[in-house]
Every structure is written in C-alpha cells, then in structure tokens.
C-alpha cells in the first residue's frame, strides 16, 4: 500500500504543484471579482460532470473487477455512450440559458456541456488505469493535463491579456488535447466503442446511481454550496477570495486522492474475499492518521508563509485557506472509511450521511456568515466534515462485522 501511495502521491504532487502555481498566477493577474467567475465555474462542474452519467462512476471499478472482458466492453461502451448522449442533449439547454438571462457569463455557459463531456470521459479512463494499477500512465496524464493548463492559462491571461474567460478556454483546449492523446495511446475502451444504450443498462445505472445522484446534491452542498452562500450574502469579489483560499487549501486533495487510489484495490479485494478485517482496520487507521497529520502541517505552513504567496488584496484569505486545509484532511479520513460502504453498494446510507452533513454545513454557513463574514462557511465545512467522518466510521464498523480476520 505504501508503495502505491508514494507512486500516486509523487505524480499527484507534481500536478498539484503546477495547479498551485496556476492559482497563485491567476491571483496576480485577476481581480477577486474576476476570480469569482472561475469559482462559480468550478462549482458548476463539480455537479454537472458526475450528473451526466447519473453519478454512477463508482460502478465502473466494480464492473471492472466483476465482469469478464466481453461483458465489461459491453458495459463501458454503453457508459461512454450515455456520457455523449446526455452532453449533446444539454447543449441546446445551455444555449437557451445563455440567450435568456446569462449573457454576462459568456463562454462559461456555452462551453459547459463540452467540458463536462471531456471530463466525464477522462474520468472513465482514469478509473480504469487505477484498477489496472497502471500508475505510470495515470501519472503522465495527470501531469500533462496540469502542464497544458498552466501553459494555456499564462498564454490567454498574460500574453493575450484576457480576463477570466481565458481560463475557460484553457480548460477546454487542455481537456481536448488530452482526450486525443488518451484515445491514440491507451484508451482502448473508447477506440472500441459500440454506441448503444440499452434498457437493461439504464436500469442498472438507475438502481446503482439513484442514491448517488441524490447524494450528489448533498455533496455539492457540502463542498461547493458555500460559494453561492457567499455570492448571495456577500459579493462576487468575496467568492473570488473564498475560491482562491479553497484552491490553496484543497491542495491536500493530492494526499486524499493518492491514498484512495492506493488502497481501493486492496479494500475491494478484502471485501470480495470476505477475509482480512485486520487489514481493513490498519488501512483506515494509518491512512486517516497520516492525512490528518499532514493537513495540520500544511495548514501551519500556509498560516506562516501564505502571505508571501499572494497579493495584498487576497491576503485576508490566508487563514481561510488554513481552515479549509484541515477540513480537507478530515475529508480524506472520511474517504478511507467510506470505501467498504461503496463496495457494498450502500449508496442510500452514504447519501443519508452526506445529507446530514450537508444540512449542518449549509445551516452553519448561513448562520456564521451573517455573524463573522467570510470565515463562516469555512467553519461550517470543517464541522460538517468532522460529523461526516464519525457517522461513516460508525457504519463502516457495523457493516464489516462479517469480514473474517
């Protein structure tokens, strides 16, 4: 596990470092208000990308483990077909939205379906590479995406002197380039695509995905809803400050994602065989403690050195970034203990837990924002993630009692 974790972490760290530099660069060429548009774009993508496949991405890894080659090909062809079909249907809807009320949001509205499709397809291939433990290709694609994003962002924002829309163009072009590269090099599922969507497949997606799709609203609320609370109660400039702090604090997702990628094959293997309870306990314990320790370490570094990284108008977001970093540490702990529940397809239970946490988060965020301003949503997020971790840990222990030592 340590070997896989370090492998994923090394690539993810490079990519995250490049993304971190991109965030700092944008803070120097964009005003907080302009950065606010980017924050809203990120919040929309968080929901729309998984929504176009009914939030059923976890089913890919389960099918990859449980089906033979022919059956999996049939499944993944239909999954990719669903992504394409829904994205095409979304385009006229967003054109209508653009024409009748959101022209000021320009390219963000018009490019959203295209970005969603490219990111959804990329997610499929990423899941396949993780399950196959093809860490090298996973890492190369991860780093290549970040390199393209920072290069194109500098080109559009600095050389062409564009505003926030330059970032949107950067995302589109980077995703398109990586789509072509994946297709030519390693994405055999896409090259062998048979475009079809059967009734039986849709039923399977519906049964698995419905709780997760409902859950997606709660996940969006707990992770991204804060930005709209800030937009409604404060201003677009404050959304920009919050988004910058969120981007800095969420750098810990490098650790979270690496840990999850490293342990998920082992966890699913134990769940499939019904043996290895001690292994599950060790994985969740060591993984959770490592992530929590790193989150506090990074938060301390941000607190003492963060003001040297950003311009004056963004400095009041430094402590905010510290709080969000620790919140993401707790979120990483939650991920480690949620994997057995995912394997057991206890999606309704997972949805219930996240809805409880989301309601707590949004309620506290509204209450605290009215009292202490921009720090309110960060405290709300931290408290809700702590609650979510303990709820999930309780059900993890309850539903793995049958696993033999």
């Amino acid at each position: 596990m340590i070997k896989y974790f370090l492998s994923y972490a090394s690539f993810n760290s490079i990519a995250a470092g490049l993304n971190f530099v991109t965030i700092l660069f944008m803070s120097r060429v964009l005003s907080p208000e302009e950065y606010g548009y980017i924050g809203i774009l990120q919040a929309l993508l968080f929901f729309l990308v998984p929504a176009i496949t009914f939030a059923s991405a976890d089913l890919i890894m389960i099918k990859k483990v449980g089906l033979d080659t022919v059956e999996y090909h049939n499944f993944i062809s239909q999954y990719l077909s669903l992504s394409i079909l829904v994205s095409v249907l979304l385009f006229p809807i967003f054109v209508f939205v653009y024409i009748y009320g959101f022209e000021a949001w320009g390219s963000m509205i018009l490019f959203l379906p295209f970005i969603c499709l490219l990111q959804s397809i990329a997610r499929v291939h990423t899941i396949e590479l993780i399950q196959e433990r093809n860490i090298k290709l996973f890492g190369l694609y991860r780093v290549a995406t970040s390199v393209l994003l920072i290069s194109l962002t500098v080109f559009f924002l600095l050389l062409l002197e564009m505003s926030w829309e330059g970032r949107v163009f950067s995302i589109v072009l980077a995703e398109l380039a990586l789509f072509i590269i994946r297709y030519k090099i390693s994405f055999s599922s896409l090259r062998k695509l048979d475009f079809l969507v059967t009734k039986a497949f849709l039923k399977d997606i519906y049964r698995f995905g419905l709780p997760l799709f409902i859950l997606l609203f709660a996940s969006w609320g707990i992770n991204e809803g804060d930005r709209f609370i800030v937009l409604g109660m404060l201003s677009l400039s404050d959304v920009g400050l919050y988004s910058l702090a969120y981007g800095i604090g969420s750098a810990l997702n490098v650790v979270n994602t690496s840990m999850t990628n490293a342990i998920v094959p082992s966890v699913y293997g134990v769940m499939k065989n019904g043996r290895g309870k001690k292994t599950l306990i060790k994985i969740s314990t060591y993984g959770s403690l490592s992530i929590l320790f790193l989150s506090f370490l990074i938060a301390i570094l941000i607190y003492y050195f963060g003001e040297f990284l950003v311009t004056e108008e963004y400095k009041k977001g430094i402590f905010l970034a510290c709080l969000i970093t620790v919140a993401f540490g707790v979120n990483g702990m939650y991920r480690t203990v949620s994997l057995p529940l995912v394997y057991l397809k206890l999606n309704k239970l997972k949805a219930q837990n996240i809805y409880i946490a989301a309601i707590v988060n949004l309620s506290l965020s509204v209450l605290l924002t009215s009292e202490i301003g921009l720090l309110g949503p960060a405290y709300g997020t931290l408290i809700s993630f702590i609650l979510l971790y303990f709820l999930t840990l309780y059900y993890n222990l309850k539903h793995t009692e049958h696993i033999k030592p």
Side-chain angles (χ1 to χ4, degrees):
M1 186 186 74
I2 294 175
K3 174 186 174 183
Y4 290 126
F5 169 74
L6 292 175
S7 298
Y8 282 116
S10 60
F11 284 114
N12 284 333
S13 296
I14 295 171
L18 292 169
N19 293 339
F20 186 74
V21 172
T22 306
I23 290 171
L24 297 181
F25 166 75
M26 289 192 294
S27 73
R28 295 181 179 277
V29 297
L30 297 177
S31 68
E33 182 174 349
E34 290 172 321
Y35 205 107
Y37 283 101
I38 297 172
I40 297 299
L41 171 65
Q42 292 168 338
L44 292 173
L45 289 174
F46 182 94
F47 177 83
L48 289 172
V49 172
I52 65 174
T53 52
F54 214 54
S56 59
D58 288 335
L59 191 58
I60 298 171
M61 189 167 288
I62 295 172
K63 295 291 187 181
K64 186 76 172 172
V65 173
L67 300 180
D68 62 29
T69 304
V70 174
E71 291 173 328
Y72 179 72
H73 168 71
N74 180 63
F75 165 79
I76 205 64
S77 286
Q78 295 191 70
Y79 193 94
L80 291 167
S81 299
L82 181 63
S83 296
I84 296 169
L85 181 61
V86 175
S87 298
V88 170
L89 292 175
L90 278 178
F91 184 72
I93 296 174
F94 278 92
V95 170
F96 179 84
V97 170
Y98 168 75
I99 294 174
Y100 293 97
F102 287 89
E103 291 186 25
W105 296 82
S107 59
M108 182 190 299
I109 298 296
L110 296 178
F111 279 118
L112 264 176
F114 192 49
I115 297 173
C116 289
L117 174 60
L118 292 174
Q119 291 190 352
S120 177
I121 291 176
R123 181 176 294 190
V124 171
H125 192 40
T126 297
I127 293 172
E128 290 183 333
L129 293 175
I130 291 170
Q131 186 58 40
E132 295 166 1
R133 285 185 164 162
N134 193 335
I135 301 173
K136 182 179 179 180
L137 268 181
F138 167 89
L140 289 174
Y141 289 141
R142 183 90 165 83
V143 173
T145 302
S146 298
V147 169
L148 276 173
L149 270 174
I150 189 171
S151 301
L152 290 168
T153 300
V154 170
F155 175 75
F156 284 117
L157 269 59
L158 186 62
L159 299 181
L160 297 187
E161 299 183 346
M162 295 183 66
S163 182
W164 60 271
E165 289 190 325
R167 177 62 173 175
V168 179
F169 296 148
S170 302
I171 294 171
V172 173
L173 292 178
E175 293 289 352
L176 181 59
L178 264 295
F179 170 84
I180 296 171
I181 293 170
R182 289 188 183 98
Y183 179 83
K184 291 185 175 293
I185 294 177
S186 59
F187 203 170
S188 59
S189 294
L190 186 60
R191 289 199 302 271
K192 298 175 182 178
L193 172 67
D194 296 321
F195 191 87
L196 76 159
V197 179
T198 65
K199 186 176 181 180
F201 168 80
L202 291 176
K203 284 183 177 180
D204 193 19
I205 291 292
Y206 175 79
R207 283 193 298 267
F208 181 86
L210 179 60
L212 294 176
F213 186 72
I214 297 172
L215 166 66
L216 181 59
F217 288 93
S219 298
W220 181 86
I222 200 172
N223 287 284
E224 305 293 336
D226 291 349
R227 304 186 196 213
F228 289 87
I229 291 174
V230 173
L231 180 62
M233 298 183 68
L234 299 175
S235 68
L236 187 58
S237 294
D238 288 308
V239 174
L241 287 172
Y242 190 86
S243 298
L244 178 76
Y246 199 92
I248 293 173
S250 64
L252 192 70
N253 260 338
V254 174
V255 179
N256 295 345
T257 302
S258 300
M259 183 66 74
T260 302
N261 293 347
I263 69 177
V264 66
S266 299
V267 171
Y268 282 11
V270 169
M271 298 302 296
K272 180 180 180 181
N273 296 327
R275 184 179 299 276
K277 182 64 176 290
K278 291 182 179 179
T279 300
L280 283 180
I281 294 174
K282 286 181 179 178
I283 288 173
S284 63
T285 301
Y286 294 144
S288 296
L289 291 177
S290 299
I291 292 171
L292 185 62
F293 171 77
L294 283 172
S295 71
F296 277 106
L297 178 61
I298 294 172
I300 291 170
L301 292 174
I302 292 172
Y303 182 80
Y304 284 104
F305 300 103
E307 65 178 19
F308 300 108
L309 301 176
V310 297
T311 57
E312 188 66 34
E313 58 185 344
Y314 284 97
K315 283 185 179 179
K316 67 178 183 178
I318 294 300
F319 185 67
L320 187 63
C322 297
L323 291 176
I324 293 172
T325 299
V326 177
F328 269 97
V330 180
N331 179 259
M333 295 168 64
Y334 152 74
R335 290 192 197 185
T336 65
V337 297
S338 69
L339 290 175
L341 304 183
V342 173
Y343 181 85
L344 294 171
K345 300 181 182 179
L346 296 172
N347 298 332
K348 290 182 180 179
L349 177 60
K350 185 177 178 181
Q352 168 196 294
N353 293 341
I354 294 186
Y355 260 100
I356 292 171
I359 291 170
V360 170
N361 180 30
L362 294 176
S363 300
L364 285 175
S365 294
V366 171
L367 177 64
L368 293 174
T369 299
S370 64
E371 296 294 327
I372 59 176
L374 197 55
L375 288 177
Y379 280 116
T381 298
L382 175 59
I383 293 169
S384 64
F385 278 160
I386 292 172
L387 173 63
L388 179 60
Y389 168 73
F390 283 108
L391 277 174
T392 306
L393 178 62
Y394 168 77
Y395 287 110
N396 172 299
L397 297 174
K398 180 179 179 180
H399 287 283
T400 58
E401 290 179 346
H402 67 284
I403 304 295
K404 297 178 182 179

